[in-house]
Amino acid sequence: MTKAYTTQELIEILAAERQACLQGQRLNLAAQPSGNIAIDKYLKPEGLQKFTAYQDFKAAVHRYQIEHGVSGIVWRQMTVKGKTIAYPEVDAHLIAVPEDLEILKDYKTAIAEFWREVTAGMDIYLSINHGKGYRQITPADVERIVHRTQWATLWKSENINFLEIILQLGWGQPQEAAYKRGWPDSGSEYIHAVHPGNRPIC
């Protein structure tokens, strides 16, 4: 019996395939314009063929993950204000298999608690209009979102003069949750914490 590829091997295979597609070594010659004149005039046929070739390959990898039960989870670590957390996150190019979703759910509380601790005293904003705007919210608002979502993940943007810590709270398939692609089955809210007087930049 052939050994299944590991999560890391699938990530490396996808990265290599993405480079091959970008360099024009892989094209999906059957890829057709969308039919929307306003959009199609900006799309070069070769660019569309490269993009489609990669998307087709990625979909095949996702089917492989499901058939062989290969996790899409990678482990991250974040340190903020001297506190550190290790947490699971689904790689941006893979999907979560059912067992992954259970792991993500198990870590939601710890991630939300870490975020609460390191953002104490900071201003909190909810991303609106697909990330084009922000609305200031309260810790109680965050708790309501935490309560109605299934999983969480973190990002931060930091330099000498600025700190932004983002808590993504989502449900469904993480790969489909960003930008409401899988709405309503998958989706997420982005909560941004910044020092008072600052505005989110991510």
Side-chain angles (χ1 to χ4, degrees):
M1 184 174 165
T2 308
K3 183 178 84 68
Y5 289 108
T6 66
T7 303
Q8 189 56 42
E9 286 169 339
L10 290 183
I11 291 168
E12 290 166 8
I13 288 166
L14 278 168
E17 185 67 16
R18 185 170 183 273
Q19 280 305 313
C21 291
L22 287 172
Q23 293 166 4
Q25 296 166 7
R26 311 267 198 284
L27 298 174
N28 179 339
L29 299 177
Q32 297 292 318
S34 69
N36 182 323
I37 296 168
I39 293 172
D40 290 344
K41 71 180 179 180
Y42 295 106
L43 294 176
K44 294 181 179 174
E46 187 179 324
L48 181 62
Q49 292 166 353
K50 291 176 184 177
F51 176 78
T52 306
Y54 178 69
Q55 293 302 315
D56 291 347
F57 187 84
K58 189 163 73 165
V61 169
H62 295 170
R63 287 192 298 275
Y64 180 89
Q65 278 186 262
I66 292 166
E67 288 168 14
H68 297 273
V70 182
S71 173
I73 285 181
V74 291
W75 287 86
R76 307 284 189 217
Q77 185 170 301
M78 181 182 289
T79 301
V80 181
K81 300 178 181 176
K83 297 180 186 297
T84 301
I85 185 172
Y87 60 95
E89 179 179 283
V90 175
D91 182 82
H93 301 284
L94 298 177
I95 60 167
V97 296
E99 295 82 4
D100 292 344
L101 292 173
E102 293 306 313
I103 292 168
L104 294 176
K105 288 175 187 176
D106 289 346
Y107 273 81
K108 181 183 85 165
T109 301
I111 292 169
E113 182 57 35
F114 174 83
W115 186 86
R116 278 186 214 101
E117 286 179 25
V118 299
T119 61
M122 297 175 80
D123 287 347
I124 305 169
Y125 292 87
L126 175 67
S127 176
I128 56 175
N129 297 330
H130 305 289
K132 296 182 181 122
Y134 303 95
R135 178 170 55 87
Q136 193 161 7
I137 60 173
T138 67
D141 295 325
V142 176
E143 293 313 309
R144 282 190 286 274
I145 298 169
V146 168
H147 183 70
R148 69 174 193 248
T149 53
Q150 297 174 334
W151 48 262
T153 193
L154 297 162
W155 291 279
K156 72 172 175 175
S157 176
E158 184 176 23
N159 62 38
I160 293 170
N161 302 312
F162 183 79
L163 174 64
E164 178 174 3
I165 309 162
I166 303 166
L167 175 66
Q168 180 188 10
L169 293 164
W171 63 94
Q173 186 61 248
Q175 193 217 24
E176 295 294 315
Y179 314 111
K180 308 284 191 256
R181 281 190 306 228
W183 187 269
D185 297 325
S186 300
S188 61
E189 301 289 357
Y190 294 88
I191 315 294
H192 303 250
V194 292
H195 289 302
N198 289 334
R199 295 277 294 177
I201 59 169
C202 293

